[in-house]
Amino acid sequence: MSKTIAIYDTTLRDGAQAEGVNFSVADKIMIAQRLDEFGVAYIEGGWPHTSRVRDSEFFQQAKKITFKNAKLAAFGSTAHPKNKPEDDPNLIGLVESGAPVITIFGKSWDFHVTDALQIELEQNLAIVESSIAFLKSQGREVFFDAEHFFDGYASNPEYALRVCQAAVQGGADGIVLCETNGGALPVNVFTATKAVVDAVDDSVVIGIHAHNDGGLGVANSLEAVRAGALHVQGVINGFGERCGNANLCTIIPNLQLKMGLNCIDSNNIKMLTEVSHYIFEIANMPFDKRMPFVGNSAFAHKGGIHVSAVMKNAGLYEHIDPALVGNRQRVLVSDQSGKSNIEYKISELGITFPEGADKNLPKEIVRQIYELENQGYEFEGAEGSMELLIQRAGGTYSPIFELNHWRCIIEKRNGKVVSEAAVKLTVNDTEEYVVAEGNGPVNALDKALRKALLQFYPEIKEMELTDYKVRVLGSSCGTGANVRVLIESRKKETLWGTVGVSENLIEASWQALVESIEYMLLKKL
Amino acid sequence: MSKTIAIYDTTLRDGAQAEGVNFSVADKIMIAQRLDEFGVAYIEGGWPHTSRVRDSEFFQQAKKITFKNAKLAAFGSTAHPKNKPEDDPNLIGLVESGAPVITIFGKSWDFHVTDALQIELEQNLAIVESSIAFLKSQGREVFFDAEHFFDGYASNPEYALRVCQAAVQGGADGIVLCETNGGALPVNVFTATKAVVDAVDDSVVIGIHAHNDGGLGVANSLEAVRAGALHVQGVINGFGERCGNANLCTIIPNLQLKMGLNCIDSNNIKMLTEVSHYIFEIANMPFDKRMPFVGNSAFAHKGGIHVSAVMKNAGLYEHIDPALVGNRQRVLVSDQSGKSNIEYKISELGITFPEGADKNLPKEIVRQIYELENQGYEFEGAEGSMELLIQRAGGTYSPIFELNHWRCIIEKRNGKVVSEAAVKLTVNDTEEYVVAEGNGPVNALDKALRKALLQFYPEIKEMELTDYKVRVLGSSCGTGANVRVLIESRKKETLWGTVGVSENLIEASWQALVESIEYMLLKKL
């Protein structure tokens, strides 16, 4: 049987240190439940401390939840040098959190002991040991997080190992080697981890907690596992302070699918893409499309050679089957791609043209795409517009409404700017004439369009715009240039893109807005 | 002296395979010049091929440029199995590109030879050797890109090495081991690279070309260097197909600052952050704030403990000095800017205050700048707006007109779009009320503004807009997000930039338009 690696998720604690990430208590509860369902071994919920109301509140609420797979962990520090462990408010807070697992960080870099903590090296060892011993006496599973371990090991390996030994003396169940500053190289992480694995009794689990400041957070985690670590800490989507924590969405499939280790139930690993998107959504951060394994672009092919090869055999240009992690293959269409991309696209979209359709239809579609690309259209991020184009060309699509006119008025008066849009259109022989305000002309137009269509297509309510991009083409003409607008929309878990081009920015936006709705309705999303 | 690693940049070729990245020929020329200035050893410009008009056009235009540091490389494939090298259109295109360096890819994975290329293994060896020999006979520096080398080595190490030997036989100057599918583990990259380094004569350079599908593109590149590779291919910002190519913005500082190797002139490495941002701008992609070394958040501290520690000693929580790569420390707490910080910012802008100015003026200005930056203003490309802000704060500037109101109407009727702008303002006690049409709302507003001001400031006639850029900030809010407009203006030889931010695109454009005129008049350009 292959080795098991315990995944210790710290999305709710270290992940929440990321710039722009702020979880409410309700967010934290939802995330914890989702992570439990996914099947991580530990969920670190926060630092229950008097000054951290949300974290303490989370642990109170979490007491009511029964987790299926995960154990809940509370995070904190070793006792303050001036306190006995049993009188230390921080350690008391940890115990009172009720979490069955407690992780405390302490210093393992001599420089930090003397410069940041400003105490003697021996005193630090005593604090580590006694803090852990106190928590063990309270019947908890205890991990010692050796802060700055790798810098410490580089500076004074003997002292760094003595700190680990002090944690063992205190009765720690595990020692987590923390690559706090995130700048270590994989080769050094391997060596130092191996030194600890060799020095410490097998009954004590060795873990790794890496950051991504050198772009090596994942590699450092994997190297630590190669050196004998059996516990890996990280964050879904790699959120975290500075460049983020080691990304569990990348670590988990590498460990499980590449290195043949067990970390997540093999039935659950296909939930990975969904879990990633869910947490982006809760954090209200835009998806990272290029993210390995789970990103929207992770299995997207653009080059003509790659596409024709992938059509023969996906393994030729894909390192894993995307379905294993719940992702899928995508083929992008651009001027770098030939007829094979379009044919793939047509078959991927499941489009069948009516009997007797022109045999040259694919060729005609390629011609239309090239012509539009010359005008500045781009279909790579606009699969919705691509499909509408194909269906229109094949005569299998008819518009959802007929436009009479639209009009935007944007006015600045007395320092205040207002935007209004009026839209007049005919839907199923019914004329709709509506007006709406927005915080900009495109927003106003979007609102008016939805208002006009809502009674016919109530599902519009559940759809939202998630991204809006403007590119001025041929920038040398100043405000007289052509403009391309790309819109990304979402309904629940589904994302799609549409495009519009015009020398008028509002008209380009209108095109993309209309197609975003048309596509949703066409596909019954 | 430490070892030198040649950096081979493929932003313009493999980077352009990224979803959402489309460089025009003019973009490519600008990027090439910037990369040359930065000091990479090689710039791969594209694949000059009949079906790739832009790439061929780029090489034609690039012939007129003298590069200071870099050699230009053209990319293509080995000859088609049916062609002799000297009759192969692809190889002829490469020679005709005029590039002094040519890189061709060929198969090194037996499965690809038999399944994708569908030829005999021996025939592939002959193709590799003869294609390279032909290019060498044309007096070029030739690199052989061994496609799928690491999968090939895992499947049939003997054959993979024989392909490399065939390239050596053909006279290749270097063999680049391509981790095409991007899913290899660092330990395997090290082993396979070492096998090639050991098997091939020292006169042939071994290179690495990694992708990021496993989140290990950087680590794999570094491991190949540890195994003896002296040539590293990658892309600025890690753009590229699927999850992207190995990120040069991460690889370069790791090699140079962590591993002590030479790759970029030590005076130039501080340009790294600027180069990264420049290429994000040209690609019209949002900055990746979390990107190691160069991201806006890369040295941003949020946690209370980290912040107070960093203020004592930055090395406590920073793996390198951010200034080494042209980045800076940020503390995500308001009013953290000390006096030295302020003076640095002001002197960086080259500003001196008039005699008798308020002593607190610098502090007040920086407060205003930070506040505006928080709203999304960016002054890097908008030195005009920066100077106006300072002059306003110093009371040395008074506005050239007073706005009563402006109004834009954009209307689509009978398939035709028209834009009209009315502007009412007071200049020197004279009221001006004008209206103008444009091909879009911003163009109409620009025309109306100029029309109103022309009789008072006839020099406006000689001024023109040369660039107009729109960026939507915080893209998660769709059309309700904040928008930043950057305008570049020119009068004769002088160029200047101005910026506007608002949730309303038209208002943001108005701000930047007004400031472009104000700045010209202030500076008597």
Side-chain angles (χ1 to χ4, degrees):
Chain A
M1 214 188 83
S2 47
K3 254 198 310 196
T4 294
I5 306 295
I7 298 295
Y8 182 108
D9 179 283
T10 179
T11 304
L12 300 179
R13 204 269 308 167
D14 227 10
Q17 299 273 44
E19 183 169 8
V21 171
N22 276 298
F23 296 127
S24 68
V25 176
D27 290 343
K28 286 185 146 206
I29 294 286
M30 288 192 295
I31 292 172
Q33 288 175 315
R34 191 67 175 246
L35 289 170
D36 175 50
E37 199 184 308
F38 177 49
V40 301
Y42 298 93
I43 297 169
E44 190 172 77
W47 186 344
H49 190 275
T50 45
S51 71
R52 292 165 170 259
V53 181
R54 271 191 240 174
D55 286 8
S56 304
E57 175 64 22
F58 167 78
F59 283 102
Q60 289 313 307
Q61 293 197 22
K63 282 178 182 170
K64 297 167 211 152
I65 301 169
T66 309
F67 291 108
K68 287 183 293 187
N69 296 302
K71 293 187 209 171
L72 196 63
F75 177 85
S77 83
T78 48
H80 190 280
K82 287 186 184 142
N83 296 336
K84 285 183 180 165
E86 60 271 30
D87 301 327
D88 186 77
N90 157 64
L91 293 182
I92 293 167
L94 288 168
V95 172
E96 288 177 351
S97 75
V101 181
I102 294 175
T103 299
I104 53 169
F105 73 92
K107 304 293 181 193
S108 59
W109 185 359
D110 55 357
F111 164 52
H112 265 249
V113 175
T114 54
D115 262 54
L117 213 52
Q118 300 177 339
I119 59 170
E120 297 292 317
L121 294 178
E122 295 302 314
Q123 194 189 346
N124 180 54
L125 298 176
I127 291 171
V128 168
E129 181 179 337
S130 63
S131 297
I132 293 168
F134 167 70
L135 295 172
K136 282 307 293 177
S137 77
Q138 303 297 308
R140 309 303 165 91
E141 184 173 346
V142 179
F143 291 110
F144 175 65
D145 176 313
E147 207 194 8
H148 288 109
F149 178 78
F150 298 93
D151 294 301
Y153 186 83
S155 141
N156 184 344
E158 192 209 327
Y159 186 72
L161 290 176
R162 284 186 67 204
V163 173
C164 295
Q165 296 293 6
V168 174
Q169 284 298 316
D173 297 283
I175 297 171
V176 183
L177 308 177
C178 190
E179 214 285 90
T180 312
N181 288 10
L185 296 170
V187 59
N188 299 332
V189 169
F190 181 88
T191 310
T193 305
K194 189 139 191 342
V196 180
V197 170
D198 292 346
V200 167
D201 189 87
D202 280 355
S203 65
V204 179
V205 167
I206 303 304
I208 177 76
H209 174 111
H211 282 258
N212 202 36
D213 297 73
L216 298 161
V218 171
N220 286 341
S221 306
L222 302 184
E223 285 300 283
V225 169
R226 276 213 315 128
L230 293 172
H231 165 120
V232 176
Q233 302 199 346
V235 171
I236 298 290
N237 300 329
F239 294 150
E241 194 152 33
R242 307 186 309 270
C243 306
N245 282 59
N247 190 345
L248 286 179
C249 293
T250 319
I251 290 173
I252 291 170
N254 272 315
L255 289 176
Q256 194 137 334
L257 305 176
K258 297 288 170 75
M259 294 167 71
L261 304 166
N262 293 320
C263 40
I264 295 290
D265 185 297
S266 60
N267 291 317
N268 286 0
I269 193 164
K270 64 177 182 295
M271 292 165 62
L272 189 67
T273 298
E274 217 177 283
V275 168
S276 161
H277 286 199
Y278 181 78
I279 288 175
F280 269 122
E281 198 176 320
I282 301 269
N284 199 23
M285 300 281 272
F287 295 172
D288 179 354
K289 293 185 182 171
R290 299 194 286 164
M291 195 176 279
F293 299 99
V294 298
N296 213 34
S297 301
F299 301 93
H301 303 276
K302 179 167 167 181
I305 288 178
H306 286 204
V307 173
S308 61
V310 159
M311 286 170 72
K312 283 184 199 155
N313 181 331
L316 292 171
Y317 287 95
E318 285 179 359
H319 67 128
I320 61 159
D321 174 1
L324 290 172
V325 291
N327 208 340
R328 66 182 182 96
Q329 186 184 82
R330 289 167 60 229
V331 166
L332 308 173
V333 175
S334 77
D335 71 348
Q336 295 188 24
S337 56
K339 205 171 148 241
S340 57
N341 287 37
I342 293 294
E343 278 164 357
Y344 176 95
K345 201 88 218 170
I346 290 169
S347 83
E348 182 198 47
L349 295 171
I351 297 172
T352 39
F353 293 116
E355 290 284 324
D358 189 347
K359 283 257 165 35
N360 287 322
L361 212 46
K363 214 169 173 176
E364 166 59 17
I365 290 166
V366 174
R367 195 197 57 76
Q368 287 188 20
I369 288 167
Y370 282 8
E371 196 179 300
L372 288 168
E373 282 183 338
N374 279 338
Q375 291 168 35
Y377 282 80
E378 186 192 298
F379 292 100
E380 280 173 45
E383 288 167 279
S385 293
M386 167 66 69
E387 177 155 1
L388 287 165
L389 181 150
I390 293 170
Q391 300 247 17
R392 268 189 216 109
T396 50
Y397 177 73
S398 36
I400 52 169
F401 65 82
E402 197 185 310
L403 176 70
N404 185 305
H405 77 268
W406 56 252
R407 186 182 61 243
C408 281
I409 300 179
I410 312 103
E411 191 162 18
K412 183 173 188 175
R413 207 178 274 271
N414 304 323
K416 211 175 154 251
V417 189
V418 290
S419 303
E420 173 200 294
V423 169
K424 188 174 180 182
L425 37 82
T426 307
V427 196
N428 304 340
D429 297 325
T430 308
E431 190 177 274
E432 286 292 316
Y433 197 1
V434 298
V435 64
E437 273 191 329
N439 50 19
V442 181
N443 185 238
L445 208 51
D446 183 31
K447 285 184 174 174
L449 178 60
R450 286 160 182 259
K451 200 168 159 184
L453 296 175
L454 190 64
Q455 59 164 305
F456 305 98
Y457 309 107
E459 57 269 52
I460 285 175
K461 231 186 220 166
E462 291 166 69
M463 164 194 164
E464 58 168 349
L465 297 188
T466 52
D467 201 359
Y468 174 80
K469 273 190 196 154
V470 178
R471 168 118 205 203
V472 178
L473 306 162
S475 60
S476 63
C477 329
T479 57
N482 245 17
V483 175
R484 174 171 62 228
V485 169
L486 277 164
I487 281 179
E488 190 186 73
S489 305
R490 177 166 66 176
K491 195 175 166 201
K492 287 170 195 157
E493 301 289 303
T494 311
L495 282 177
W496 65 98
T498 50
V499 61
V501 173
S502 167
E503 55 180 17
N504 190 308
L505 171 62
I506 311 298
E507 164 63 12
S509 304
W510 169 260
Q511 291 171 13
L513 283 172
V514 170
E515 295 210 337
S516 72
I517 293 173
E518 288 186 317
Y519 181 76
M520 180 197 68
L521 295 172
L522 173 74
K523 302 298 282 184
K524 300 187 174 40
L525 295 178
Chain B
M1 216 189 83
S2 49
K3 257 199 305 195
T4 295
I5 306 295
I7 299 295
Y8 182 109
D9 179 282
T10 179
T11 304
L12 300 178
R13 203 271 305 169
D14 227 9
Q17 300 271 47
E19 179 167 12
V21 171
N22 274 298
F23 296 127
S24 68
V25 176
D27 290 342
K28 286 185 146 205
I29 295 285
M30 288 192 293
I31 291 172
Q33 288 176 315
R34 191 68 174 247
L35 290 170
D36 176 50
E37 199 184 305
F38 177 49
V40 302
Y42 298 93
I43 297 169
E44 191 171 78
W47 186 343
H49 192 274
T50 43
S51 71
R52 291 166 172 256
V53 181
R54 273 191 238 171
D55 286 9
S56 304
E57 175 63 22
F58 167 79
F59 283 103
Q60 289 313 306
Q61 292 197 22
K63 283 178 182 169
K64 296 166 209 151
I65 299 169
T66 310
F67 290 107
K68 286 183 295 187
N69 296 303
K71 293 187 210 172
L72 196 63
F75 177 87
S77 83
T78 47
H80 190 279
K82 288 185 184 143
N83 296 335
K84 285 183 183 166
E86 59 272 28
D87 301 327
D88 186 77
N90 158 63
L91 293 181
I92 292 168
L94 287 168
V95 171
E96 287 177 351
S97 74
V101 181
I102 294 175
T103 299
I104 52 170
F105 73 92
K107 305 291 182 196
S108 58
W109 185 0
D110 54 357
F111 164 52
H112 265 250
V113 175
T114 53
D115 261 56
L117 214 52
Q118 300 175 338
I119 60 171
E120 296 293 317
L121 293 178
E122 294 302 315
Q123 193 188 348
N124 179 54
L125 298 176
I127 291 171
V128 168
E129 181 178 337
S130 64
S131 297
I132 293 168
F134 167 69
L135 294 172
K136 283 306 293 178
S137 77
Q138 303 297 308
R140 309 303 165 91
E141 185 174 346
V142 178
F143 291 109
F144 175 65
D145 177 315
E147 208 193 7
H148 288 109
F149 178 78
F150 297 94
D151 294 302
Y153 186 83
S155 142
N156 184 343
E158 192 209 326
Y159 186 72
L161 289 176
R162 284 185 67 204
V163 174
C164 295
Q165 296 292 7
V168 173
Q169 286 295 318
D173 297 284
I175 297 170
V176 182
L177 308 178
C178 192
E179 213 286 90
T180 311
N181 288 9
L185 295 171
V187 59
N188 299 334
V189 169
F190 181 90
T191 310
T193 305
K194 189 139 192 345
V196 181
V197 169
D198 291 347
V200 166
D201 188 88
D202 281 355
S203 65
V204 179
V205 167
I206 303 304
I208 177 76
H209 173 114
H211 283 257
N212 201 38
D213 297 74
L216 297 162
V218 170
N220 285 342
S221 305
L222 303 184
E223 286 300 283
V225 169
R226 276 213 315 128
L230 293 171
H231 165 122
V232 176
Q233 302 198 347
V235 171
I236 298 289
N237 298 330
F239 294 151
E241 194 152 29
R242 306 185 312 270
C243 306
N245 282 61
N247 189 345
L248 286 180
C249 293
T250 319
I251 290 173
I252 290 170
N254 272 315
L255 289 176
Q256 194 136 335
L257 306 176
K258 297 287 172 74
M259 293 168 73
L261 304 166
N262 293 319
C263 40
I264 295 290
D265 185 297
S266 60
N267 291 316
N268 286 1
I269 194 165
K270 62 178 183 294
M271 292 163 62
L272 188 68
T273 299
E274 216 177 283
V275 168
S276 161
H277 286 198
Y278 182 78
I279 289 174
F280 269 122
E281 283 289 354
I282 300 268
N284 199 25
M285 299 284 272
F287 295 173
D288 179 353
K289 291 187 183 171
R290 298 195 287 165
M291 193 176 279
F293 298 100
V294 299
N296 212 36
S297 302
F299 301 93
H301 302 277
K302 181 168 167 181
I305 288 177
H306 286 204
V307 173
S308 64
V310 157
M311 286 170 79
K312 282 186 201 153
N313 182 333
L316 291 171
Y317 286 95
E318 284 179 358
H319 68 126
I320 61 157
D321 174 2
L324 290 172
V325 291
N327 208 340
R328 67 186 177 97
Q329 185 184 86
R330 288 166 61 234
V331 169
L332 305 178
V333 181
S334 57
D335 297 331
Q336 282 294 323
S337 42
K339 194 162 176 284
S340 56
N341 199 341
I342 292 161
E343 279 162 358
Y344 172 81
K345 191 96 186 178
I346 298 294
S347 83
E348 188 188 45
L349 297 165
I351 286 153
T352 43
F353 288 99
E355 290 284 322
D358 186 347
K359 284 251 161 44
N360 286 322
L361 206 50
K363 204 166 178 177
E364 168 57 18
I365 288 164
V366 174
R367 193 196 59 75
Q368 289 187 19
I369 291 167
Y370 278 11
E371 198 181 298
L372 289 168
E373 282 179 343
N374 279 339
Q375 290 170 34
Y377 281 81
E378 191 194 292
F379 292 101
E380 271 179 42
E383 68 290 353
S385 293
M386 174 60 82
E387 185 152 354
L388 285 165
L389 181 150
I390 287 161
Q391 299 250 13
R392 266 189 218 109
T396 51
Y397 177 74
S398 36
I400 53 169
F401 65 82
E402 198 185 311
L403 176 70
N404 185 305
H405 78 267
W406 57 252
R407 185 183 60 244
C408 282
I409 300 177
I410 313 103
E411 191 162 16
K412 183 171 188 174
R413 208 178 272 271
N414 304 323
K416 211 177 153 247
V417 188
V418 290
S419 303
E420 172 200 295
V423 169
K424 188 175 181 185
L425 38 81
T426 306
V427 195
N428 304 339
D429 297 324
T430 307
E431 191 177 272
E432 287 291 317
Y433 197 0
V434 299
V435 64
E437 272 191 332
N439 51 20
V442 181
N443 186 237
L445 209 50
D446 184 32
K447 285 185 172 172
L449 178 61
R450 287 159 180 262
K451 198 168 161 185
L453 295 175
L454 191 65
Q455 58 163 308
F456 305 98
Y457 309 106
E459 58 267 52
I460 284 174
K461 229 184 219 168
E462 293 166 69
M463 166 193 162
E464 56 168 350
L465 296 187
T466 51
D467 201 359
Y468 174 79
K469 274 188 194 153
V470 178
R471 164 131 304 156
V472 178
L473 307 163
S475 59
S476 63
C477 328
T479 57
N482 248 15
V483 175
R484 175 171 64 227
V485 169
L486 278 163
I487 281 180
E488 191 186 71
S489 305
R490 180 168 66 180
K491 194 176 167 203
K492 288 170 193 159
E493 298 300 299
T494 312
L495 284 176
W496 66 97
T498 50
V499 61
V501 172
S502 166
E503 53 179 21
N504 189 307
L505 172 62
I506 311 300
E507 164 64 12
S509 305
W510 169 259
Q511 291 171 12
L513 283 172
V514 170
E515 295 210 336
S516 72
I517 294 174
E518 288 186 317
Y519 183 77
M520 180 196 70
L521 296 172
L522 173 75
K523 303 296 281 185
K524 301 186 171 46
L525 295 176

